[in-house]
Amino acid sequence: MAYLVKINGKTHSVDVDGDTPLLWVLRDVLGMTGTKFGCGMALCGACTVHVDGNAVRSCVTPVDSLKGSSVTTIEAVGSTPAGAKVQKAWLDREVVQCGYCQSGQIMSAAALLAANPKPTDADIDDAMAGNICRCGTYGRIREAIKQAAQSQTRSQGKGG
Amino acid sequence: MTDLSRRNFLLTAAGGGMMLGLSLPPAGAQAAGDKPFVPNVFVRIGKDGQIVLTMPYVEMGQGTYTSIPMLIAEELEVALSQVKLEHAPPDEKTYGNPLLAGVQATGGSTAVMASWQPLRQAGAVARTLLIQAAAKRWNVDPVSCRAQEGEVLHTASGRKLKYGELAADAASLPVPKDVPLKAPKDFKLIGTPAKRLDAPAKVNGAALYGIDVRPPGVKVATLAQSPVFGGKLRNVDDTAARAVKGVRQVVKLDDCVAVVADHMGAAKKGLAALKVEWDDGPHANLTTQDIARELEQATRNAGAVAEDVGDTDKALASAATRVEASYQVPFLAHATMEPMNCTVHVRRDGCDVWVGTQVAARAQAAAAKVTGLPLEKVVLHQHLIGGGFGRRLEIDGVTRATQIAQKVDGPVKVVWTREEDIQHDMYRPLWFDRLSAGLDESGKPVAWNHRFAGSSVIARWLPPGFNNGLDPDSIEGAVKFAYGLPNKRVEYLRVEPPGIPTTFWRSVGPSHTIFVVESFMDELAAAAKQDPVAYRLALLDKTPRAKAALALAAEKAGWGRKLPEGSGRGVSVQTVFGSCFATVAEVAVAKDGSVRVRRVVAVMDCGTVVNPDTVRAQIESAINFGISAALYGEITLKDGRVEQSNFDNYQVLRMDEAPVIEVHIVKSGEAPGGMGEPGTSAIVPAVANAIFAATGKRLRKMPVDTELLKRPA
């Protein structure tokens, strides 16, 4: 049967089995290839997206579990305040190398900052330990998250 | 490829081999009129002023899409942002890597080394011709003109012409062979931390890796290959698989079955629904222990002599103290974040291949071989690589995908599951080493005897590089190391393991030799009851760059400063990949034997630095890659099958385990050395030596066995 999925503000109808992981709906059915396949078992985080603002691994998220939830992917995370700051910090800190895992890293970091504007090192470890980077960019990811947190706090201060 | 001078170059220059290459469109001859200005195979300038660099190397994270354009931009006197990149087409004659015997390959940390002269020369020639064209137009002496910011300027009159306006004129001038290069003191870009050109597309999902291509009508396939290497497909019941929604076809090959579907979700579901029987073939009972035993036994006999200085036997016999040890390192998988994949469209009269590869020309040839098509009918579309580490120096994936695509009507993207990627990798070889050393009364080493056995990747990958039982990669780091020793012998025995394929892995030969050499050197210091840093420094007079790097690393690390119980510092120093590199690792060993690497101080002397931030990033990267291997990395065989399958049982370093890494780059005017790999070979012994300092336990087998490090609670 066809399922309605709401992705980046737009609703799509997809005709796949209900147990099809969201990852493949995004990548192969809808052609949104920014979300990456890494392990298929929620072990590496490359496929991380936001479902109603929470970081989830799309490789183990069946499409029939979404039930009207809003999905945000790397293609649109820049339009969220936390996502935009994370992307900017990623560029300022020159985080990326091969870049393949970075969609997932950015999605995890953006969800972290949206929920916890001033994460400690331990908070960062907790939120990011599920995202593997074989290029070993961890040190820069940590610095970039801290930078994004600072800019976030500053801009929130300005706004308030 | 068998050209002697080239072979020599390989043997004497880069040694090990892991850089990679790309390919591009025809550059070729000088053209007139409206045609672009193409002074050489690397640079093209159009009438619109667009500067295009034909990139002979592929980007897989190492920053080559930034550092190589910097070389051209520097000599062309343009901003980095004005240079556009194109992949070099598969064309070994034009874009072969001079440091890898002319193979069109990106590997071995060679890209900057191999490009340093030719790419700057390419830019300088273009600049010279543009100046000449302008001078001719103005009827002035070229010496009175200069290039700046994409224009030629006549200094006296202030007249200016943009490169685009000069392209057609410049295209009609004879191309000089060699022109003077800029003096380092005039560098504007080289040595500055340029922003990565590939970064913006990698933070918003826009970057296209091989796995992301979607030619019209593409189907997605996933595969199961014989779980035992060399086994065959006996029987498949695909009834249930074909009933899965979205599954279109089941492809059966001799040793593989693939499910072709509308999307990967259906392909995986279909694959899981197959009932497959395999004929395991001759390696059905193979275990890693069998292979290790064979290597151990091989080292009881003499090997090919890779280095022979003085009289080692005599010096050993008369030494005051003798130290002996044996070492072993495991098979390792690459586990690149982008699983293996390749998209192929086979037609009767041609074939398209979409893939991120470190060897473009070989990838094209692989598809041509499977299809029987002439090379020129195979179009290779190169892509960004989501992690290479040597894995994509091989074309087994292209071959496999083309075999499947031959049976599919239309384009098919073949995607390896993570399990398939790990269980059908080609692996860093397992090696076994035997060492003995003699010390004089003062504890100084006077004899060093090192014999080891393992697979020679070069013998298969580049047969002319294997001579008299030796290849330059397997022995790099073991021979001609930084230390001055009066008597030294190194022997290598090529032993190919049955039933498991091997290949290059980040830091290649030195991933093994540096671990062994630097661990054993640490053992000698301990036997002499001397400080490991002081002991090494005393042996480094003939390699002042290495000595200085080591001294600086020790100083920056606070070597000798007290650490808490259960913690320790370890050191390593190496001169491989054309660079000197010293590392101090600080580890903490918990009561349960688990090891955390807390801090790493690294000193790199890689000669002239093109992009210092890339160098820093690559050292951080290579160190974390090596820590994964030291703490967790091991591929084992049981019943001929690889036992590991995904990141739960082939663990890699994660955020919460990553150390603080401090990188110090030595200022140098020497020619550039490699920097993508040294961190990986260096960190493994530094960690092992730190564990010894923390616990007194010498680990001679990788990865770390926490059982050996347990302490009573």
Side-chain angles (χ1 to χ4, degrees):
Chain A
M1 66 179 261
Y3 291 85
L4 295 179
V5 288
K6 197 174 161 197
I7 298 162
N8 300 333
K10 197 175 157 199
T11 301
H12 303 261
S13 172
V14 293
D15 185 16
V16 296
D17 276 350
D19 60 358
T20 303
L22 173 61
L23 172 64
W24 306 115
V25 171
L26 292 171
R27 289 182 54 81
D28 293 346
V29 180
L30 300 174
M32 301 168 71
T33 55
T35 304
K36 300 305 189 207
F37 166 51
C39 70
M41 291 176 67
L43 296 169
C44 81
C47 67
T48 306
V49 298
H50 296 173
V51 175
D52 296 332
N54 299 311
V56 306
R57 313 300 185 207
S58 64
C59 72
V60 294
T61 303
V63 71
D64 66 6
S65 72
L66 291 172
K67 300 193 177 30
S69 298
S70 286
V71 176
T72 306
T73 70
I74 185 69
E75 285 89 353
V77 77
S79 56
T80 70
K85 293 200 166 82
V86 168
Q87 285 176 326
K88 180 178 182 306
W90 246 243
L91 292 175
D92 288 349
R93 296 281 170 164
E94 288 281 78
V95 171
V96 310
Q97 291 189 26
C98 92
Y100 190 82
C101 75
Q102 298 295 347
S103 294
Q105 304 279 1
I106 286 169
M107 295 309 286
S108 289
L112 166 67
L113 289 182
N116 177 359
K118 286 185 188 172
T120 62
D121 277 318
D123 295 336
I124 294 174
D125 283 346
D126 280 351
M128 304 302 295
N131 287 79
I132 292 172
C133 173
R134 282 291 273 159
C135 298
T137 63
Y138 299 123
R140 291 179 186 226
I141 288 174
R142 185 183 300 281
E143 292 307 310
I145 291 174
K146 288 179 178 177
Q147 178 190 317
Q150 273 172 10
S151 68
Q152 182 167 256
T153 313
R154 265 204 307 278
S155 64
Q156 277 170 355
K158 234 186 278 169
Chain B
M1 280 248 312
T2 51
D3 175 90
L4 264 186
S5 59
R6 280 192 158 175
R7 203 161 91 193
N8 255 341
F9 201 18
L10 170 80
L11 294 172
T12 55
M18 163 154 304
M19 277 290 285
L20 331 190
L22 284 173
S23 259
L24 241 146
Q30 282 286 293
D34 281 352
K35 292 199 181 142
F37 169 44
V38 189
N40 49 60
V41 299
F42 300 113
V43 179
R44 187 169 86 236
I45 302 177
K47 230 171 67 172
D48 56 358
Q50 180 63 62
I51 298 160
V52 179
L53 161 61
T54 300
M55 246 321 272
Y57 303 101
V58 67
E59 179 63 60
M60 46 190 179
Q62 80 279 42
T64 205
Y65 280 12
T66 310
S67 53
I68 306 299
M70 285 173 80
L71 303 179
I72 288 276
E74 180 72 65
E75 290 292 340
L76 257 180
E77 299 291 356
V78 296
L80 190 53
S81 57
Q82 287 173 263
V83 181
K84 201 178 130 197
L85 300 194
E86 279 180 6
H87 294 287
D91 179 355
E92 209 129 73
K93 280 205 183 83
T94 308
Y95 298 107
N97 183 335
L99 296 184
L100 293 178
V103 179
Q104 190 175 350
T106 309
S109 295
T110 56
V112 166
M113 278 191 273
S115 304
W116 179 240
Q117 288 298 332
L119 272 291
R120 285 188 305 148
Q121 190 60 234
V125 164
R127 180 193 70 221
T128 303
L129 289 170
L130 290 162
I131 289 175
Q132 280 176 15
K136 212 168 149 191
R137 185 96 62 94
W138 295 323
N139 203 17
V140 299
D141 186 344
V143 177
S144 66
C145 303
R146 64 195 158 88
Q148 64 176 37
E149 293 165 15
E151 299 177 326
V152 179
L153 171 73
H154 182 237
T155 319
S157 65
R159 278 177 292 185
K160 287 176 184 175
L161 281 168
K162 293 190 191 313
Y163 286 178
E165 300 172 279
L166 293 164
D169 287 7
S172 65
L173 296 172
V175 180
K177 209 162 177 246
D178 274 312
V179 298
L181 297 174
K182 284 173 75 171
K185 67 175 173 50
D186 298 324
F187 287 162
K188 296 191 186 87
L189 279 172
I190 292 173
T192 66
K195 286 280 185 190
R196 291 182 68 113
L197 300 176
D198 57 340
K202 288 178 173 177
V203 302
N204 63 13
L208 283 184
Y209 301 83
I211 203 168
D212 298 327
V213 302
R214 304 177 78 240
V218 72
K219 299 281 179 235
V220 182
T222 194
L223 72 172
Q225 301 171 87
S226 167
V228 178
F229 294 100
K232 300 280 177 218
L233 186 63
R234 185 181 287 153
N235 191 38
V236 184
D237 176 353
D238 62 8
T239 316
R242 283 190 292 110
V244 171
K245 180 174 179 150
V247 168
R248 300 289 167 180
Q249 189 180 347
V250 175
V251 172
K252 294 157 200 166
L253 302 172
D254 274 359
D255 55 350
C256 168
V257 55
V259 177
V260 183
D262 293 341
H263 56 86
M264 183 71 171
K268 281 182 80 171
K269 197 171 168 183
L271 195 77
L274 289 175
K275 290 190 190 112
V276 188
E277 287 171 46
W278 301 100
D279 171 356
D280 287 342
H283 306 303
N285 301 312
L286 186 67
T287 68
T288 326
Q289 289 79 1
D290 298 335
I291 293 168
R293 198 176 311 116
E294 193 188 339
L295 297 189
E296 188 271 333
Q297 280 165 2
T299 57
R300 291 165 194 238
N301 300 313
V305 177
E307 187 175 18
D308 197 7
V309 177
D311 189 336
T312 303
D313 287 340
K314 195 172 152 200
L316 273 174
S318 60
T321 311
R322 200 163 155 162
V323 184
E324 295 188 352
S326 56
Y327 282 81
Q328 188 180 317
V329 298
F331 291 114
L332 293 171
H334 299 82
T336 62
M337 288 312 295
E338 180 188 6
M340 288 293 279
N341 65 88
C342 179
T343 302
V344 186
H345 186 187
V346 180
R347 299 172 305 276
R348 214 171 38 189
D349 59 347
C351 173
D352 283 84
V353 178
W354 294 263
V355 69
T357 174
Q358 298 176 247
V359 284
R362 286 187 173 189
Q364 179 195 37
K369 191 174 170 193
V370 172
T371 55
L373 289 163
L375 265 190
E376 64 273 16
K377 296 289 182 193
V378 177
V379 179
L380 185 96
H381 308 266
Q382 176 67 286
H383 282 271
L384 289 172
I385 292 181
F389 315 127
R391 179 65 183 99
R392 290 174 164 102
L393 283 166
E394 299 292 349
I395 43 79
D396 57 309
V398 177
T399 298
R400 181 61 87 201
T402 309
Q403 290 168 342
I404 293 166
Q406 270 188 308
K407 309 211 167 195
V408 177
D409 189 18
V412 60
K413 170 157 57 178
V414 183
V415 177
W416 276 238
T417 60
R418 175 59 63 192
E419 291 77 9
E420 200 66 15
D421 179 275
I422 286 184
Q423 299 188 326
H424 290 85
D425 198 350
M426 297 175 73
Y427 304 88
R428 197 286 300 270
L430 184 153
W431 273 291
F432 186 90
D433 299 62
R434 230 178 253 285
L435 297 102
S436 51
L439 311 183
D440 67 13
E441 290 77 6
S442 72
K444 193 176 166 182
V446 291
W448 175 282
N449 195 12
H450 181 188
R451 180 187 291 170
F452 61 93
S455 170
S456 166
V457 178
I458 290 279
R460 171 185 58 79
W461 195 86
L462 190 68
F466 186 82
N467 288 295
N468 303 317
L470 296 170
D471 76 75
D473 172 45
S474 296
I475 62 175
E476 185 177 7
V479 300
K480 297 183 181 127
F481 57 33
Y483 306 108
L485 294 178
N487 303 288
K488 183 185 177 201
R489 187 170 57 220
V490 178
E491 294 168 48
Y492 168 60
L493 296 116
R494 179 188 176 198
V495 182
E496 294 301 332
I500 181 165
T502 61
T503 193
F504 303 115
W505 183 92
R506 192 175 194 172
S507 80
V508 289
S511 75
H512 147 242
T513 57
I514 299 298
F515 165 64
V516 173
V517 165
E518 283 302 288
S519 295
F520 194 56
M521 190 55 79
D522 227 58
E523 294 208 52
L524 302 190
K529 299 188 168 51
Q530 292 180 27
D531 173 78
V533 169
Y535 192 76
R536 285 172 170 83
L537 286 172
L539 299 171
L540 290 171
D541 285 339
K542 76 176 176 93
T543 45
R545 287 171 72 188
K547 187 172 184 173
L550 175 58
L552 185 61
E555 181 202 320
K556 297 287 183 187
W559 186 264
R561 219 179 290 154
K562 213 172 153 43
L563 287 170
E565 203 210 319
S567 294
R569 283 189 198 89
V571 66
S572 76
V573 61
Q574 65 182 29
T575 52
V576 290
F577 306 107
S579 295
C580 297
F581 191 66
T583 314
V584 175
E586 216 173 279
V587 307
V589 182
K591 291 246 156 74
D592 67 358
S594 64
V595 174
R596 276 295 170 92
V597 183
R598 296 284 186 198
R599 177 178 176 232
V600 177
V601 174
V603 174
M604 171 59 99
D605 178 352
C606 58
T608 300
V609 169
V610 176
N611 188 352
D613 195 55
T614 300
V615 171
R616 210 171 282 283
Q618 280 302 292
I619 293 167
E620 294 162 2
S621 169
I623 285 171
N624 281 333
F625 199 84
I627 294 173
S628 286
L631 299 187
Y632 308 120
E634 184 169 29
I635 288 290
T636 54
L637 294 171
K638 191 182 171 198
D639 298 330
R641 290 155 166 80
V642 170
E643 294 187 276
Q644 295 70 28
S645 57
N646 208 318
F647 291 117
D648 51 350
N649 52 22
Y650 191 75
Q651 269 182 270
V652 298
L653 198 74
R654 292 174 180 269
M655 178 69 135
D656 56 329
E657 307 162 304
V660 172
I661 300 173
E662 299 170 26
V663 178
H664 303 273
I665 301 172
V666 176
K667 271 212 178 333
S668 164
E670 303 275 337
M675 52 89 218
E677 296 171 276
T680 301
S681 54
I683 191 63
V684 180
V687 166
N689 293 339
I691 291 170
F692 176 74
T695 65
K697 300 265 170 53
R698 175 65 60 188
L699 300 181
R700 299 189 182 90
K701 195 175 164 199
M702 286 289 109
V704 168
D705 181 352
T706 56
E707 285 297 315
L708 299 175
L709 302 178
K710 274 189 179 155
R711 302 197 297 278

